[in-house]
Amino acid sequence: MPQTRGSNRKVLVLAGDGIGPEIMRQTLRVIEFFDHRHIASFEVTEGLVGGAALDEHGVPLTDETMAAAVASDAVLFGAVGGAKWDSLPFELRPERGILRLRKEMDLFANLRPAVVFDALADASSLKPELVAGLDLMIVRELTGGIYFGAPRGVETLPDGSRRGVNTEVYTEAEIERVVRVACDLARKRRARVCEVDKANVMESGGLWRDVAQRVRDADFRDVELSFMYADNCAMQLVRSPKQFDVIVTSNLFGDLLSDCAAMLTGSLGMLPSASLGQAGTDGRRRALYEPVHGSAPDIAGKDVANPLACILSFAMMLRYSFDMAEEAALVEDAVRRALALGVRTGDIIQSNTGRVSTRGMGDTVLRELEKAA
Ligand code: NAD
Ligand code: IPM
Ligand code: MN
């Protein structure tokens, strides 16, 4: 293992709400392990986001925390949201905290890998043979589309009734940069990209197809590009998910399809993600790492949540922000071995044996890391 001590790796940790702090606590233990073992050190700063920031400061993300995120090398994010804040005006809801981080850090490419660990093939709601060995990557556009398009809002019409508006908007440049990320990733995998849209009913979908084809023909002739409608893709993901290598799609379709892909892996609690900005000339890019799941209010505070999506998000940080593929594999292998031992949080359990708490799963991953490092 290379000795890469000497920290210029500034990590801002934003645990958030609900199960966020519980899963983050276990992930911080993994980060501390690297430090204690002198494998790599990280300068960790913790901040508030979502409901936690609202309770303290009256906003879901302060300007100071936003600035700290921009100044960091990477952000590690837990989850936000909860019933307590659901009646707040839209601009104050906890979810605005993560949306602001994505937008102001310009994190346009959200990588959501759905990988089935061998030990969990039985935990999927699909037949094991359909998901065993699955390794697909959803690249979700993250700073555009209907999440951010104008006009938006709810207006009152002359007759007193209300009209709600959101707008799907994409420029060619926005599509092109995320398609390039997908094609680059595909080159290191099985060299196949499927662009997913609703070009049959949405003009913006037609533009996605044009741009994807142009980018592929100009610079990625070694990559096979195909197209699929989003409704069919949702069906194909549960019919025959192994047909996919890389899926590239808009913000909203990527949100829906990645929750669907998560269940192929056994649980939403298993799916990590990386949200990346454009690489600069020095190869550095802004980045935020976040589990795909939310704050899971139904199980929060009970020490039963699965911390693996968050721990695997840290592994993605090692790989994509710090060029530490070997150390990332160390974490992923520890997770693989923990699962192979039969240790299970409630969301991935089949029989009642091997059930552990959030902390118990953290303990097992730490023990496996100790053995390997
Ligand atoms: P959710 O992802 O929080 O939960 C969906 C279901 O999956 C729940 O039954 C939950 O218990 C389960 N689950 C999720 N993560 C789990 C884990 N790690 N271990 C075990 N089980 C897990 O989605 P939701 O219930 O629709 O939303 C709850 C809140 O979270 C809402 O306020 C929503 O806006 C927010 N949310 C936040 C994010 C984020 O912060 N990135 C993502 C999605 C939803
Ligand atoms: C996700 C979440 C977020 C999204 C919410 C919390 C804003 O569902 O990261 O998948 O819709 O992007
Ligand atoms: Mn989502």
Side-chain angles (χ1 to χ4, degrees), residues 76-77 271-273 289-292 308-318:
L76 188 60
F77 183 91
L271 215 71
S273 90
Y289 299 84
E290 49 179 323
V292 168
L308 295 180
C310 194
I311 290 174
L312 292 169
S313 297
F314 171 63
M316 290 188 87
M317 178 191 295
L318 293 173

Side-chain angles (χ1 to χ4, degrees), residues 15-19 23 49 77-83 85-86 93-95 98 102 112 140 255 259 263 267-271 273 288 290-300 304-310 345-348 358:
D17 311 318
I19 63 169
I23 56 169
V49 69
F77 183 91
V80 290
W85 307 282
D86 274 353
R93 291 184 52 137
E95 291 82 355
I98 180 64
R102 291 171 181 169
R112 299 189 157 190
R140 169 191 179 193
D255 182 43
D259 262 38
M263 267 327 283
S267 163
L268 200 45
M270 292 299 301
L271 215 71
S273 90
L288 179 149
E290 49 179 323
V292 168
H293 64 72
S295 55
D298 51 333
I299 57 167
V304 298
N306 186 344
L308 295 180
C310 194
T345 43
D347 56 315
I348 48 175
T358 308

Side-chain angles (χ1 to χ4, degrees), residues 18-38:
I19 63 169
E22 299 171 50
I23 56 169
M24 193 60 79
R25 208 164 298 130
Q26 301 313 314
T27 310
L28 285 169
R29 293 174 72 197
V30 173
I31 299 179
E32 283 156 15
F33 164 85
F34 276 88
D35 218 335
H36 292 158
R37 296 294 294 263
H38 304 309

Side-chain angles (χ1 to χ4, degrees), residues 20 27 29 64 86 96 124 146 164 167 197 218 221-222 225-226 249 261 276 283 298 310 353 372:
T27 310
R29 293 174 72 197
E64 291 73 33
D86 274 353
R96 301 309 294 180
S124 169
I146 200 161
T167 309
D197 56 50
R221 297 198 73 87
D222 51 326
L225 174 68
S226 61
T249 190
L276 306 176
D298 51 333
C310 194
T353 53

Side-chain angles (χ1 to χ4, degrees), residues 343-359:
V343 166
R344 300 281 184 274
T345 43
D347 56 315
I348 48 175
I349 209 155
Q350 286 108 59
S351 69
N352 228 352
T353 53
R355 182 188 291 267
V356 291
S357 62
T358 308
R359 166 162 274 278

Side-chain angles (χ1 to χ4, degrees), residues 37-361:
R37 296 294 294 263
H38 304 309
I39 298 168
S41 63
F42 301 87
E43 191 185 316
V44 174
T45 312
E46 294 191 55
L48 298 176
V49 69
L54 273 160
D55 286 351
E56 187 75 20
H57 303 293
V59 287
L61 185 77
T62 63
D63 293 343
E64 291 73 33
T65 310
M66 186 64 239
V70 169
S72 68
D73 293 309
V75 178
L76 188 60
F77 183 91
V80 290
K84 181 177 173 192
W85 307 282
D86 274 353
S87 53
L88 285 171
F90 210 75
E91 279 310 306
L92 281 181
R93 291 184 52 137
E95 291 82 355
R96 301 309 294 180
I98 180 64
L99 293 172
R100 182 177 175 199
L101 283 161
R102 291 171 181 169
K103 189 69 178 174
E104 292 191 23
M105 292 172 77
D106 202 15
L107 307 172
F108 66 91
N110 183 210
L111 279 46
R112 299 189 157 190
V115 175
V116 172
F117 289 91
D118 287 344
L120 285 190
D122 287 331
S124 169
S125 43
L126 299 193
K127 295 189 192 89
E129 62 271 23
L130 283 186
V131 295
L134 178 76
D135 176 3
L136 74 84
M137 174 72 87
I138 296 182
V139 179
R140 169 191 179 193
E141 200 291 327
L142 202 61
T143 50
I146 200 161
Y147 272 55
F148 296 98
R152 63 183 301 152
V154 178
E155 60 186 7
T156 304
L157 299 174
D159 69 358
S161 68
R162 290 179 300 163
R163 193 168 85 111
V165 183
N166 288 95
T167 309
E168 174 84 342
V169 195
Y170 274 110
T171 63
E172 285 190 273
E174 285 176 309
I175 301 167
E176 178 169 339
R177 63 183 184 170
V178 75
V179 167
R180 284 188 180 281
V181 169
C183 288
D184 269 330
L185 282 167
R187 258 188 188 152
K188 297 177 199 121
R189 299 168 50 95
R190 300 188 296 280
R192 286 190 289 120
V193 172
C194 181
E195 188 277 332
V196 173
D197 56 50
K198 282 288 289 179
N200 49 347
V201 288
M202 293 162 69
E203 289 82 351
S204 59
L207 188 64
W208 269 80
R209 287 193 180 206
D210 287 352
V211 174
Q213 191 68 59
R214 175 164 54 71
V215 169
R216 182 265 165 199
D217 290 349
D219 293 323
F220 297 92
R221 297 198 73 87
D222 51 326
V223 172
E224 181 193 314
L225 174 68
S226 61
F227 302 104
M228 194 178 278
Y229 296 133
D231 48 352
N232 183 27
C233 182
M235 186 277 279
Q236 295 294 340
L237 274 174
V238 289
R239 189 187 75 91
S240 167
K242 284 190 248 180
Q243 69 184 281
F244 297 106
D245 180 17
V246 177
I247 289 173
V248 64
T249 190
S250 64
N251 205 341
L252 181 60
F253 295 148
D255 182 43
L256 305 181
L257 295 173
S258 58
D259 262 38
C260 183
M263 267 327 283
L264 306 173
T265 71
S267 163
L268 200 45
M270 292 299 301
L271 215 71
S273 90
S275 305
L276 306 176
Q278 197 76 60
T281 43
D282 58 356
R284 286 164 62 95
R285 54 177 16 152
R286 291 205 181 126
L288 179 149
Y289 299 84
E290 49 179 323
V292 168
H293 64 72
S295 55
D298 51 333
I299 57 167
K302 299 182 180 157
D303 195 30
V304 298
N306 186 344
L308 295 180
C310 194
I311 290 174
L312 292 169
S313 297
F314 171 63
M316 290 188 87
M317 178 191 295
L318 293 173
R319 181 169 282 119
Y320 291 105
S321 280
F322 299 126
D323 201 16
M324 295 168 74
E326 204 178 322
E327 290 80 357
L330 199 64
V331 176
E332 288 155 355
D333 286 344
V335 168
R336 186 170 294 112
R337 285 196 309 278
L339 293 169
L341 287 170
V343 166
R344 300 281 184 274
T345 43
D347 56 315
I348 48 175
I349 209 155
Q350 286 108 59
S351 69
N352 228 352
T353 53
R355 182 188 291 267
V356 291
S357 62
T358 308
R359 166 162 274 278
M361 182 60 92

